[in-house]
Amino acid sequence: MRSTFYRFTALMVMATSVWTHMSMISPCPRYNSLGVGCPALPPGQAIDYNESSPIASGGVALQPFCKYATPWPTPAARWTAGQSITVDFAEYGSEHDGGMCEWSLSYDNGTSFVVINRVLGRCFFDAQNNHVFNYTFTLPANVPGSDSAIFAWSWVNAMGNREFYMNCADVVIDGTSESFSGPQMTVLNYPGYPSVPEFMGNYSTGLEYYNNAPTITVYAKANQTTTSTTTSMSADPPQSSPPSTMT
C-alpha cells in the first residue's frame, strides 16, 4: 500500500515538474521515488523525489557519493558472479547528448569503487542514435561475494552544466572469489577532482581520465582495497570519436 502511494505521488510530481536528467531505477537506488522493487526505507530516512539530480554541478558539491550514506535495510537485488544483469533507467529524463557512464562495485561501504562496465562517449544512445534506457552486461565471474556490496552507476554528461551523477543500490552477490581487480571509478566535475568542458560533439572529451584510471583490487572482506597508485577517493569537497565500451 505504501509502495503504491509512493509511486502515485512520484507520478504526480512528474506531471507538474520539468525533469531534465537521468536516474537509475533498477536495481533500486537508495530512497529512489521511481525505483523498481525497492526495499523499505531505513528508519529516519525519506523518499528522494529529486532522484535524477546530480551530486555536483558547476563546481559545487550537492550531495556525497551515492547521494545517501545509509544503505537499504535489505538488498535491492541478489546476483551471482558471472550472471547477466540488466540496469534500467527512467525514460522521462534528458540524456544531455550522452557522455561517460560507468557501473562499479564497492566492498568497503563506498570508500572505493571498482569498474565492471563502461559506455564511454554517448551513453544512452546506440550506434543508430536511438535512445537507450537499459543496459545488459555480465557481472564478472571473479567478483567476490558479499552480503553488503554497493552497485553504483556514475555519469558525466556531454552537454549542459558541468555535472556528476551517481546512484547506488545495495546488493547481495553470491560468489567464491576472494578479490577482483579493475579500473577505479572515474570522478569528474566534482570538487577536488578534475573538470571537463562540454563535449561540443567531441565524444572523446575527458577520455584520458578513464583510460588512465588506476587499477585497484577489492576484496571479499571490507577495508582491504589496494590500488596501483597512491590515489584516494573522497566524497567530500576538498580535496568526435565513437563511443568506447568495456564489457
Side-chain angles (χ1 to χ4, degrees):
M1 191 70 179
R2 189 169 74 173
S3 175
T4 301
F5 169 78
Y6 286 147
R7 303 283 291 191
F8 174 78
T9 304
L11 290 172
M12 293 300 294
V13 171
M14 286 174 62
T16 58
S17 303
V18 178
W19 295 86
T20 58
H21 309 301
M22 299 300 293
S23 172
M24 184 172 77
I25 59 173
S26 179
C28 182
R30 292 174 179 175
Y31 320 162
N32 190 295
S33 68
L34 299 176
V36 176
C38 299
L41 278 172
Q45 303 300 322
I47 288 291
D48 179 8
Y49 293 104
N50 293 312
E51 67 284 316
S52 63
S53 62
I55 64 170
S57 180
V60 177
L62 305 176
Q63 289 182 280
F65 291 160
C66 284
K67 300 191 77 175
Y68 301 98
T70 303
W72 288 118
T74 56
R78 185 175 198 124
W79 297 329
T80 299
Q83 81 167 77
S84 176
I85 63 174
T86 297
V87 183
D88 295 315
F89 292 85
E91 298 186 13
Y92 61 77
S94 169
E95 304 90 338
H96 288 287
D97 200 33
M100 310 297 196
C101 285
E102 291 187 316
W103 291 267
S104 309
L105 290 172
S106 177
Y107 288 83
D108 53 13
N109 197 34
T111 299
S112 60
F113 288 87
V114 63
V115 176
I116 58 171
N117 194 63
R118 286 171 164 172
V119 177
L120 303 180
R122 293 205 76 201
C123 190
F124 302 119
F125 294 89
D126 65 15
Q128 289 73 45
N129 207 38
N130 298 311
H131 298 286
V132 176
F133 294 108
N134 58 73
Y135 285 95
T136 298
F137 52 89
T138 300
L139 192 65
N142 57 333
V143 295
S146 175
D147 290 332
S148 56
I150 300 174
F151 175 74
W153 159 72
S154 55
W155 176 40
V156 174
N157 53 312
M159 181 180 69
N161 294 336
R162 306 322 302 139
E163 296 170 331
F164 185 70
Y165 296 79
M166 188 175 186
N167 290 163
C168 292
D170 299 288
V171 301
V172 169
I173 298 176
D174 295 318
T176 58
S177 175
E178 290 298 319
S179 66
F180 175 78
S181 296
Q184 180 172 274
M185 182 184 75
T186 297
V187 180
L188 299 172
N189 301 333
Y190 195 97
Y193 295 88
S195 296
V196 293
E198 287 191 86
F199 290 13
M200 305 301 290
N202 178 8
Y203 298 106
S204 62
T205 300
L207 188 61
E208 66 274 16
Y209 294 108
Y210 294 86
N211 289 339
N212 296 316
T215 297
I216 64 171
T217 300
V218 296
Y219 295 88
K221 295 181 179 179
N223 303 319
Q224 292 188 34
T225 302
T226 61
T227 178
S228 61
T229 63
T230 56
T231 60
S232 61
M233 180 174 288
S234 171
D236 299 315
Q239 92 160 30
S240 106
S241 63
S244 171
T245 61
M246 169 184 173
T247 58

